[in-house]
Amino acid sequence: KLPSIAKDSPGNWKATHLSMSFPEILHLRKQLISHVLLNYVPDIFLVDHMPHGAMGELLPALEAIKHSRIHTQVVLGLRDILDSPEVTINRWQAEGAYDAIERYYARILVFGMQDVYDVVEQYQIPQDQAKKVFYCGYVTNLATASNAQLVRARYLADKSSDTRLIVVMAGGGADAYPMMSTLIDALPKVLEDQDCIVAVVTGPFMPTELIADLSQRAEPLPISMMESVNDSLSYISAADLVISMAGYNTTVEILRMKTPAILIPRAGPSAEQRTRARLFCDKHWVDMIDPDELTPEILAQRISYHLRHPIESNRNAPPNLDGAAAAARLTLLSVLASKNGKVLPSPRLISPPQWAGE
């Protein structure tokens, strides 16, 4: 396993466990990555998120692959929204990502939809490189929501038939306190018109003192607090309404379950969640409240509205949730083509085709 690092801000990283300076741990990670690749000789080297790695840590390995006799196909996997275009472009220019894409990568798999967020246009990928870009669709948890009925029964079994279940979640929860605090303040107003049970999943990374504050304030209300759940899909499926931050995994799970949702993205420092929430709202897949506009009054109003008028999915433009299957098909075909000494497969062999260069 590579020694762990964490991102402080765009372009700034630190070691999380080892007592080493970042230049020292960067050097170690470069050596380990190169050594493993050149000795293991994989058919595919799938790079996630950063074409050059953290602070260019992949460049020695990529250069070694290019000048060796091994036939490893180098593929980049990207969430569609990384940050604002301005921040992403500036970091990619400063860290050599555009040069890396041109020099080393055979394909770029975008885990999103071009008509939602055009990565080529937004990140100014040169047109001669756009032919490498394939929009797979969104990658979602493939498990089934097998316990949805049990979850619903756990909270509503002894309640009246018109009682609604609201599920509130925020991934790791490190910055979820403002959203959950506002929900607690908003709920009394909601309860004036609608009986509800609220299941709040704080996330494992919310500070304990903030969890204690939320738990104390929630005690007189019909709120059940928990740190985490093992089956988030079942909770999302069981809910009449989900209130969530706007991380990639949770929002795509919400789309898959087709549960009405209000997204409240994190304020920053990255623009990723705000952008995703706005674009998904524009598609009428979810509702959103900007964190700068979040008040108990506004949240109560939106909750009450959606419990009375659940969001109906936009049937004319449903989300493509086949990203995992599309990426797997393309990767397999690329391996087979490489082993047979052929060119990479035509985009028309992959269904549904969403190729940026066509």
Side-chain angles (χ1 to χ4, degrees), residues 2 8 25 56 73-74 83 97 106 123 142 165 241 266 274 281 325 342:
L2 289 175
D8 276 342
I25 206 164
Q73 294 284 334
V74 185
D83 203 319
Y123 300 150
L142 298 179
L165 176 61
L241 177 68
R266 66 163 52 103
R274 261 188 164 130
C281 184
K342 299 178 181 179

Side-chain angles (χ1 to χ4, degrees), residues 141-217:
N141 185 344
L142 298 179
T144 59
S146 56
N147 295 314
Q149 291 301 320
L150 291 176
V151 171
R152 196 164 177 85
R154 181 182 308 152
Y155 292 101
L156 301 180
D158 58 346
K159 303 298 185 294
S160 64
S161 60
D162 63 344
T163 302
R164 300 292 179 255
L165 176 61
I166 301 172
V167 170
V168 183
M169 53 179 51
D175 51 2
Y177 177 82
M179 178 185 77
M180 294 181 179
S181 177
T182 305
L183 168 74
I184 291 173
D185 291 338
L187 191 57
K189 181 63 176 177
V190 175
L191 293 170
E192 292 178 6
D193 301 315
Q194 174 67 61
D195 289 335
C196 300
I197 300 294
V198 182
V200 174
V201 186
T202 62
F205 302 127
M206 180 177 287
T208 55
E209 64 273 15
L210 298 183
I211 293 177
D213 172 75
L214 293 176
S215 298
Q216 181 181 15
R217 292 163 53 203

Side-chain angles (χ1 to χ4, degrees), residues 46 75-79 108-113 134-142 248 252 256 319-332 350-352 354:
L46 178 59
V75 178
L76 177 63
L78 292 177
R79 286 196 315 266
I108 302 172
L109 307 181
V110 177
F111 306 126
M113 297 171 60
F134 175 69
Y135 294 85
C136 301
Y138 295 104
V139 175
T140 184
N141 185 344
L142 298 179
Y248 183 98
V252 174
R256 183 181 167 209
N320 175 1
L321 303 177
D322 293 328
R329 285 196 299 271
L330 179 66
T331 301
L332 177 60
I350 310 296
S351 177
Q354 270 199 305

Side-chain angles (χ1 to χ4, degrees), residues 193-258:
D193 301 315
Q194 174 67 61
D195 289 335
C196 300
I197 300 294
V198 182
V200 174
V201 186
T202 62
F205 302 127
M206 180 177 287
T208 55
E209 64 273 15
L210 298 183
I211 293 177
D213 172 75
L214 293 176
S215 298
Q216 181 181 15
R217 292 163 53 203
E219 191 170 342
L221 297 168
I223 296 177
S224 174
M225 304 279 295
M226 64 204 89
E227 182 179 296
S228 61
V229 295
N230 294 325
D231 187 0
S232 60
L233 280 178
S234 289
Y235 273 80
I236 292 170
S237 178
D240 294 294
L241 177 68
V242 173
I243 301 171
S244 172
M245 297 182 79
Y248 183 98
N249 291 335
T250 300
T251 52
V252 174
E253 287 179 354
I254 289 169
L255 296 185
R256 183 181 167 209
M257 293 296 103
K258 301 180 181 179

Side-chain angles (χ1 to χ4, degrees), residues 51-52 78 82 88-98 101 125:
H52 48 286
L78 292 177
L82 305 177
T88 302
I89 291 168
N90 287 339
R91 293 313 314 169
W92 279 19
Q93 289 174 337
E95 297 174 11
Y98 292 104
I101 287 173
I125 296 175

Side-chain angles (χ1 to χ4, degrees), residues 92-122:
W92 279 19
Q93 289 174 337
E95 297 174 11
Y98 292 104
D99 293 337
I101 287 173
E102 179 179 2
R103 183 170 175 80
Y104 305 115
Y105 285 90
R107 280 290 179 262
I108 302 172
L109 307 181
V110 177
F111 306 126
M113 297 171 60
Q114 186 175 12
D115 63 347
V116 176
Y117 197 81
D118 190 329
V119 167
V120 171
E121 177 183 336
Q122 296 294 330

